[in-house]
Amino acid sequence: MKDFFKGAVVAVVVLIVLVVINVICNINGLTLDPVTTGVSSGICAMFIYRGLTKNEKNKE
C-alpha cells in the first residue's frame, strides 16, 4: 500500500510540472504536442518511481 501512495505522489508531481511547463509555453506562444508530452511524462514518472522503490529496497 505504501508503494501505491508513492506512485500516486510521483504521478501528481509529474503532472503538476507538466502543467506548469505547458502554461509557460502557451504564454510564450508555443504549442506542445500532447502525444509526446504525455508519453514523456509517463516515462519520467515510471523512472522516478522505480528509483524511489529501488533505493528503499537496497536499504533493507
Side-chain angles (χ1 to χ4, degrees):
M1 191 69 165
K2 189 168 67 170
D3 288 340
F4 175 76
F5 289 124
K6 280 184 183 179
V9 168
V10 167
V12 168
V13 168
V14 168
L15 288 176
I16 289 172
V17 169
L18 183 63
V19 167
V20 169
I21 290 171
N22 278 324
V23 167
I24 291 170
C25 288
N26 286 337
I27 289 172
N28 291 326
L30 299 171
T31 56
L32 300 176
D33 184 26
V35 174
T36 56
T37 55
V39 170
S40 62
S41 64
I43 291 171
C44 288
M46 285 190 299
F47 281 139
I48 293 169
Y49 173 74
R50 183 165 274 207
L52 286 174
T53 56
K54 188 175 183 181
N55 286 338
E56 184 177 294
K57 289 180 182 179
N58 286 340
K59 289 180 183 178
E60 293 177 355

mmCIF file of all heavy atoms in Angstrom, residues 1-7 49 56 60:
data_model
loop_
_atom_site.group_PDB
_atom_site.id
_atom_site.type_symbol
_atom_site.label_atom_id
_atom_site.label_comp_id
_atom_site.label_asym_id
_atom_site.label_seq_id
_atom_site.Cartn_x
_atom_site.Cartn_y
_atom_site.Cartn_z
ATOM 1 N N MET A 1 0.826 -1.189 0.000
ATOM 2 C CA MET A 1 0.000 0.000 0.000
ATOM 3 C C MET A 1 0.870 1.253 0.000
ATOM 4 O O MET A 1 0.512 2.257 -0.578
ATOM 5 C CB MET A 1 -0.908 -0.063 1.234
ATOM 6 C CG MET A 1 -1.980 0.955 1.205
ATOM 7 S SD MET A 1 -3.147 0.554 -0.090
ATOM 8 C CE MET A 1 -4.484 1.571 0.360
ATOM 9 N N LYS A 2 2.037 1.153 0.658
ATOM 10 C CA LYS A 2 2.935 2.295 0.713
ATOM 11 C C LYS A 2 3.480 2.625 -0.680
ATOM 12 O O LYS A 2 3.632 3.793 -1.026
ATOM 13 C CB LYS A 2 4.073 1.997 1.690
ATOM 14 C CG LYS A 2 4.952 3.182 1.995
ATOM 15 C CD LYS A 2 5.869 2.918 3.171
ATOM 16 C CE LYS A 2 6.879 1.875 2.854
ATOM 17 N NZ LYS A 2 7.939 1.747 3.878
ATOM 18 N N ASP A 3 3.749 1.588 -1.471
ATOM 19 C CA ASP A 3 4.229 1.814 -2.839
ATOM 20 C C ASP A 3 3.164 2.469 -3.709
ATOM 21 O O ASP A 3 3.478 3.260 -4.590
ATOM 22 C CB ASP A 3 4.676 0.498 -3.465
ATOM 23 C CG ASP A 3 5.981 -0.004 -2.876
ATOM 24 O OD1 ASP A 3 6.720 0.814 -2.296
ATOM 25 O OD2 ASP A 3 6.243 -1.216 -2.991
ATOM 26 N N PHE A 4 1.898 2.142 -3.455
ATOM 27 C CA PHE A 4 0.809 2.763 -4.211
ATOM 28 C C PHE A 4 0.784 4.261 -3.968
ATOM 29 O O PHE A 4 0.619 5.047 -4.896
ATOM 30 C CB PHE A 4 -0.532 2.139 -3.811
ATOM 31 C CG PHE A 4 -1.703 2.803 -4.466
ATOM 32 C CD1 PHE A 4 -1.993 2.568 -5.799
ATOM 33 C CD2 PHE A 4 -2.510 3.668 -3.747
ATOM 34 C CE1 PHE A 4 -3.072 3.192 -6.406
ATOM 35 C CE2 PHE A 4 -3.584 4.285 -4.344
ATOM 36 C CZ PHE A 4 -3.874 4.045 -5.680
ATOM 37 N N PHE A 5 0.940 4.679 -2.717
ATOM 38 C CA PHE A 5 0.933 6.103 -2.403
ATOM 39 C C PHE A 5 2.149 6.812 -2.989
ATOM 40 O O PHE A 5 2.048 7.955 -3.443
ATOM 41 C CB PHE A 5 0.862 6.329 -0.891
ATOM 42 C CG PHE A 5 -0.479 5.967 -0.311
ATOM 43 C CD1 PHE A 5 -0.573 5.051 0.708
ATOM 44 C CD2 PHE A 5 -1.641 6.527 -0.804
ATOM 45 C CE1 PHE A 5 -1.786 4.704 1.237
ATOM 46 C CE2 PHE A 5 -2.866 6.196 -0.287
ATOM 47 C CZ PHE A 5 -2.949 5.273 0.742
ATOM 48 N N LYS A 6 3.289 6.144 -3.000
ATOM 49 C CA LYS A 6 4.476 6.736 -3.630
ATOM 50 C C LYS A 6 4.236 6.944 -5.115
ATOM 51 O O LYS A 6 4.588 7.978 -5.677
ATOM 52 C CB LYS A 6 5.698 5.838 -3.437
ATOM 53 C CG LYS A 6 6.349 5.960 -2.110
ATOM 54 C CD LYS A 6 7.597 5.114 -2.078
ATOM 55 C CE LYS A 6 8.239 5.158 -0.713
ATOM 56 N NZ LYS A 6 9.441 4.335 -0.657
ATOM 57 N N GLY A 7 3.628 5.956 -5.760
ATOM 58 C CA GLY A 7 3.310 6.080 -7.178
ATOM 59 C C GLY A 7 2.339 7.209 -7.444
ATOM 60 O O GLY A 7 2.477 7.951 -8.419
ATOM 61 N N TYR A 49 9.584 6.695 -10.023
ATOM 62 C CA TYR A 49 9.010 5.709 -9.106
ATOM 63 C C TYR A 49 9.937 4.523 -8.923
ATOM 64 O O TYR A 49 10.161 4.059 -7.811
ATOM 65 C CB TYR A 49 7.652 5.235 -9.630
ATOM 66 C CG TYR A 49 7.069 4.104 -8.839
ATOM 67 C CD1 TYR A 49 6.530 4.335 -7.585
ATOM 68 C CD2 TYR A 49 7.084 2.804 -9.317
ATOM 69 C CE1 TYR A 49 6.006 3.300 -6.832
ATOM 70 C CE2 TYR A 49 6.572 1.763 -8.586
ATOM 71 C CZ TYR A 49 6.030 2.019 -7.346
ATOM 72 O OH TYR A 49 5.524 0.994 -6.611
ATOM 73 N N GLU A 56 14.796 2.184 -1.705
ATOM 74 C CA GLU A 56 14.242 1.679 -0.465
ATOM 75 C C GLU A 56 14.563 0.199 -0.276
ATOM 76 O O GLU A 56 14.878 -0.241 0.814
ATOM 77 C CB GLU A 56 12.717 1.874 -0.454
ATOM 78 C CG GLU A 56 12.069 1.458 0.834
ATOM 79 C CD GLU A 56 10.590 1.730 0.811
ATOM 80 O OE1 GLU A 56 10.222 2.893 0.771
ATOM 81 O OE2 GLU A 56 9.816 0.751 0.833
ATOM 82 N N GLU A 60 17.170 -2.085 2.812
ATOM 83 C CA GLU A 60 16.750 -3.216 3.672
ATOM 84 C C GLU A 60 17.659 -4.366 3.600
ATOM 85 O O GLU A 60 18.601 -4.662 3.240
ATOM 86 C CB GLU A 60 15.358 -3.685 3.248
ATOM 87 C CG GLU A 60 14.320 -2.669 3.523
ATOM 88 C CD GLU A 60 12.938 -3.114 3.027
ATOM 89 O OE1 GLU A 60 12.841 -4.183 2.395
ATOM 90 O OE2 GLU A 60 12.000 -2.398 3.266
#
